Amino acid sequence: LDTVLQRLAAYLENADKLRRKVKGALIYPIVVSTIAGSVVVFLLTFVIPIFKSVFDSFGATLPAPTRVLLQISDFLRNFIKFPQLPIEIGIVIAAFLGYKKFAGTKKGRYFIDNMMLKMPLFGNLLKKVAVARFARTFGTMIKSGVPILESLEIVAKTAGNAVIEESVYKARSSIREGENIAGPLKASGVFPPMVCQMIAVGEETGALDEMLVKCADFYDNEVEAAISGLMSLIEPLLIVFMGLAIGGIVIAMFMPLFQLGDVVG
């Protein structure tokens, strides 16, 4: 019992460490994007209307970027008017509750998890996290003497992703019928070829638990490297996005001022 509890403690520590790394990678872009979006909405809602009255007094045709910006500003101002604001908030809340209800269904959860694995940038990271969790949980179960079929059932329930869960259940059904472990996992198309190959080697050599732990360690390192690379890529992308958004607003508002001399003439 003491040995199994030590393995469980090590597993939970590694899982928590991995979870904190993923959350840390997601917090920065979410916070920066929220601040940038708030600044842009503030400019469009409160600052641009001040310039609009000035532009209207010119009596001349405004540049196309300025007209588009003014139309966006008018749309946002009309959207957040107080009389209809409660209705809009109600629509947002209803949409959120509908999403939660859809995500609570089996098909909805599978659809959302499948889309998350296909997301650009983050999809590959989430897939590596799921594979690392699968390998470490499965390895811990096998090393603790839990039968393979029972281990796979536990692994499927704790996968944290409906796509991985379904693939593990299908593999469990195939193994019950006499197949090996690596074949059904490879046929699912979810698990990387290296993981399937190492599981096959572990089955042949009788060191399946060791191979799974090595896979988990490898993908933990892969996740850490992917997070570092993702953060290095996200920072310049966010800076470029903020520069384009705010710089575009400033340029669009100053373009009519550059033509002020012609208008006065």
Side-chain angles (χ1 to χ4, degrees):
L1 180 61
D2 57 341
T3 303
V4 174
L5 289 174
Q6 288 176 358
R7 291 172 185 168
L8 177 61
Y11 165 75
L12 293 176
E13 288 173 358
N14 289 327
D16 183 66
K17 181 180 178 182
L18 188 60
R19 191 180 302 110
R20 282 188 279 110
K21 287 179 181 178
V22 175
K23 286 183 178 179
L26 296 176
I27 287 175
Y28 176 79
I30 290 174
V31 171
V32 175
S33 300
T34 302
I35 294 174
S38 301
V39 170
V40 170
V41 171
F42 175 78
L43 291 175
L44 291 173
T45 307
F46 298 101
V47 179
I48 302 303
I50 299 175
F51 285 88
K52 183 179 180 181
S53 58
V54 178
F55 295 155
D56 291 339
S57 64
F58 285 176
T61 303
L62 297 175
T66 307
R67 295 198 303 269
V68 172
L69 190 64
L70 292 176
Q71 290 175 358
I72 295 174
S73 176
D74 290 338
F75 172 77
L76 286 177
R77 292 180 65 197
N78 293 328
F79 184 77
I80 61 175
K81 283 184 177 179
F82 178 74
Q84 63 187 19
L85 190 59
I87 300 176
E88 295 163 354
I89 294 176
I91 293 174
V92 173
I93 294 175
F96 175 75
L97 294 177
Y99 168 79
K100 293 288 290 183
K101 186 175 181 180
F102 176 71
T105 63
K106 185 176 180 181
K107 291 183 178 180
R109 181 166 167 259
Y110 183 89
F111 176 80
I112 293 172
D113 287 346
N114 189 34
M115 290 296 102
M116 290 181 66
L117 292 179
K118 295 180 180 179
M119 286 172 55
L121 297 180
F122 292 101
N124 190 37
L125 174 62
L126 294 175
K127 188 172 183 179
K128 289 179 179 179
V129 171
V131 171
R133 180 183 296 176
F134 161 81
R136 192 165 299 281
T137 308
F138 194 21
T140 302
M141 295 291 103
I142 296 297
K143 198 169 185 179
S144 300
V146 181
I148 290 180
L149 292 178
E150 187 176 348
S151 298
L152 287 173
E153 184 176 1
I154 296 173
V155 169
K157 291 179 179 179
T158 59
N161 186 286
V163 179
I164 303 291
E165 180 180 344
E166 183 174 329
S167 300
V168 173
Y169 273 127
K170 288 181 179 179
R172 182 174 179 271
S173 300
S174 300
I175 293 168
R176 180 185 292 172
E177 295 175 0
E179 295 187 30
N180 58 12
I181 302 174
L185 293 178
K186 184 177 181 180
S188 67
V190 176
F191 296 91
M194 188 201 74
V195 175
C196 299
Q197 186 64 32
M198 291 189 70
I199 290 176
V201 172
E203 286 184 281
E204 294 175 0
T205 59
L208 179 59
D209 55 342
E210 296 179 7
M211 289 297 181
L212 288 168
V213 171
K214 289 180 180 179
C215 284
D217 293 338
F218 173 80
Y219 275 95
D220 283 344
N221 295 329
E222 282 283 300
V223 169
E224 188 171 353
I227 290 174
S228 301
L230 196 60
M231 293 301 296
S232 302
L233 180 63
I234 285 177
E235 289 182 13
L237 287 178
L238 288 175
I239 293 174
V240 170
F241 168 75
M242 293 178 63
L244 290 176
I246 299 177
I249 292 175
V250 172
I251 292 174
M253 298 313 298
F254 274 93
M255 286 179 68
L257 300 180
F258 297 151
Q259 300 176 0
L260 182 60
D262 298 335
V263 173
V264 173

